[in-house]
Amino acid sequence: MLKYLEPHSEPVVETLRIAKVSRRGFLGTTGAFALAAYAMPARAFDKYPTGAEGMPHGVVEDPLVFVSIDADGTVTLVAHRSEMGTGSRTSIPMVMADEMEADWNLVKIVQAPGDEPKYGNQDTDGSRSMRHHIQMARKIGGSVRTMLAQAAANEWGVDPATVTVEMHEVKGPAGQSAGFGDLAAAAMALPVPTHEEIAYKSEDQFRYIGKGEVQITDLRDITTGAAVYGGDVMLDGMKFAVVARPPVVGGKAASFDATEALAVPGVESVHEIPYGGLAQKFAPLGGIAVVASNTWAALKGRDALKIEWEAGEHGSYNSDAYMEEMIATSEQPGSLARDQGDLDAAFGDAARTFTRTYTQAHIAHIPMEPPAAIASYTAEGLEIWAPVQSPYTVRNDIAEAMALDPENVRVNVTLLGGGFGRKSKADFVTEAALLSREVGAPVRMQWTREDDVRHSFYHTTSAERIEVSLDAEDNVTGWLHRSVAPSILSTFAPDEGNVLPLEQGMGLNDVPFDIANIRCESGKALAHTRIGWFRAVSNIPHAWAIGSFVGELADELGKDQRTMWLELIGAPRQLDPQNSGLPDNFWNYGEPMAEFPIDTGKMAHVLNVAADGIGYGKDLPEGEGIGLAVHRSFVSYVACAAHVKIVDGRITVPEMHMAIDCGFCANPERVESQIQGAAVMGMSVALHSGITFENGAVVQSNFYDYDVVRSDNYPTVTTHIIPHPFSVHATGVGEPGVPPVAPAIANGLYAATGDRRRSLPMGVNV
Amino acid sequence: MTKIILNGSEREFNEAPDMPLLWAIRDLAGLNGTKYGCGVGLCGACTVHVNGKAERACQLRLDEVEGAEITTIEGLDPDGNHRVQAAWRDLNVPQCGFCQTGQIMQAVALLDENPKPSDDEILAAMSNNVCRCGCYQRIVDAVRLASTGI
């Protein structure tokens, strides 16, 4: 457990958020170092290409965009990614501050509005924040440090190579000294150095990077109630709104009567919102909005609406029957996602085959903060305060929906009370904006928990069938994995039942097993609800199936789980996409394969670390067992070893060991917190959380019937972070912890009880 | 009209007496540290103290708290440095942070009533406060730290 100092006692003003390093910070041990002049060869880190260049608006490395220094020395850093709990609002500025030699206690963070041409890509998604911005953050910090030193050298008339910068102070060879504030104006007027002109810190000179000793930026505000989330901005004259939405996506109000709603004290007006449906990206579902002087009046008004709903074409969606159809589809060949070797020959020559099918229900994200947003439409333009993962997308989408010039739309990003993919989709923000224009006043849009559970962009549901061929010596000679799931694509374009390469790349066709003949196929499935992405996306069903299958195969062949995993993973090697039967459009999380390969050595290593950590193989009492699973996703590798124990007929997981290889780790403390959180969320996926549909409408509504893991049954997680130097590229953290958890629990349940469960959620009772 | 003592000051509400205390605190008093998470008393994000006891503000009508002393996270400590808040900071507990004010209010009420709870008592008291980010391990550690100093 990491320990932190008490926050220091300086008054904290609204915008000034000073964090504090802990007593474990060794502030005196980092030596000062001399700077090269711009033109001199430098101690650079080796730049490497990432998928960031391929993201809309790429990466901006201009320090003048991200850094300002006040005369008093306060360094203000811009956080351009949304904070939804992963810590990016802390960790990226922390990297900038470290490379700048700024004192973290003199740094404040401001949040960028949605403006990608200025800040670069802001789509906080795909576990990309650190992976795509650690080089940029070092470059920006190093640039400012170099410019400060050059400004001092100019002022003192000395060789810049003799100037040192250390903890917010610039020192000259004859004892000269200046603070950052003294030099700021001159420094920021200098040319920005190139990468080669910057003398970067060596890794042993890092103060904050890799240490895990800073408090998160918003910690004080979070613990005092001052932190601002989506529904927390108060504007003069603000109205409060809720919406009655069609129970079935694509449905409409055939008629409605608002007489009684309008009679509720506090209710001011009722509005019909244009209807949406599938293939309309993140457009609102439509419905009847009630605007009132407070949220309670709006809720009572909504209850008093009389609405006749028309279900539309998706009114026949019943998820139980749909699951049977998907399972039937998985019995038939699908479209090829990978074809390595000669699978037909392998099956033709097989001594026997072994087949299992796994399923998974839809999932709703249910962040603790249900969707909420504030919009203020005036003659000057539209201003929004909202908890959104991609504010620039929101700005453009709303401008388009309302026929506004995007230049006249400003999207301010509040803290997100959890996102998990739900807040990539800003239907709730558009609702607020439309209503603000309608009523001529600022509007706070509030979704209830029932709204959130019933009108999400759901994680896909799936059937996964895996069949292997075995030779006479029980060697696995062929692997056939058929995946059937409605696609995210259906949210963006008319649905033909096909999945995207990126969904296949998330654990289906990137399976790294050392099997000569591998075929992966996708079966068609038409969507009948809005399919979105939930933390880890298609990796969840794929890892669920593969991880459970490995456990079953181990049992079938009389091997322990670790042995089975290691045999299938094979010797340390990198998967060669050219000779693995992968399609040309194979998706490696948007990253170049040469820089971010599929490395079986890393995969085996995290498995061994987790298994060793928990003591896999040790004797356990009756009713207890350990399950193992490992998965690569978001170009990281995570293994989970779950100790399952049956207590009073209920599945508990008192202990987990999770091992993550995320390349170079900038902030191990936040990586640990993400892994602890992924363990809990993965366990919710495993045991509790399933969305089902009857006649097109979601059956569940609130925590009554859509529950999650609570503190009476959380796993105590020991997190193992595989250490790496900076040269081993930083990879994803937010999502990759989730996929291995459910199969590890299923394998642990089987080890504990002999009870094999193949459907998610598997239920908490035995 | 409903009169309550909100964070030590008398406060009157003229709105509907059936309004849940949660919305009066948020929309009328403008104290947004108390969060809406489920509206049915199942998640604990709106936990406040009513005459010193932890209660779900979404489950209490204004007319049920007439004359009561209500403490929200904003009124917990004048400097925001209650030992439970401090313990939360020592352990860098939050991820997204949204549920944490409710968690802290629940923990404070527990420790006021039972200064040295056992681990089982901590789990029992905290188990109806949901954290979707999954900070439970650190929440329990922080309650223990606030209780025992270790």
Side-chain angles (χ1 to χ4, degrees), chain A residues 483-549:
Chain A
S483 175
V484 183
S487 173
I488 288 166
L489 183 59
S490 61
T491 294
F492 295 88
D495 192 15
E496 295 175 1
N498 300 316
V499 295
L500 292 161
L502 71 83
E503 291 165 308
Q504 295 170 324
M506 291 196 205
L508 174 64
N509 61 4
D510 57 342
V511 63
F513 290 161
D514 188 16
I515 300 171
N517 307 292
I518 296 178
R519 187 184 291 166
C520 305
E521 297 175 356
S522 297
K524 279 183 186 287
L526 290 165
H528 296 291
T529 186
R530 300 191 297 183
I531 304 296
W533 46 96
F534 169 81
R535 186 181 187 181
V537 203
S538 301
N539 287 292
I540 292 176
H542 296 148
W544 160 240
I546 293 170
S548 297
F549 187 87

Side-chain angles (χ1 to χ4, degrees), chain A residues 699-718:
Chain A
V699 172
Q700 292 75 22
S701 63
N702 205 318
F703 289 106
Y704 299 112
D705 46 13
Y706 188 78
D707 207 2
V708 294
V709 167
R710 291 163 180 266
S711 61
D712 58 351
N713 190 16
Y714 72 88
T716 296
V717 182
T718 301

Side-chain angles (χ1 to χ4, degrees), chain A residues 84-117:
Chain A
M84 53 185 157
T86 63
S88 65
R89 192 171 133 89
T90 300
S91 301
I92 294 173
M94 180 198 79
V95 173
M96 291 183 193
D98 192 329
E99 193 64 75
M100 196 183 300
E101 272 295 306
D103 179 347
W104 186 241
N105 291 307
L106 301 176
V107 170
K108 67 174 182 177
I109 312 293
V110 297
Q111 187 69 32
D115 189 352
E116 291 191 359

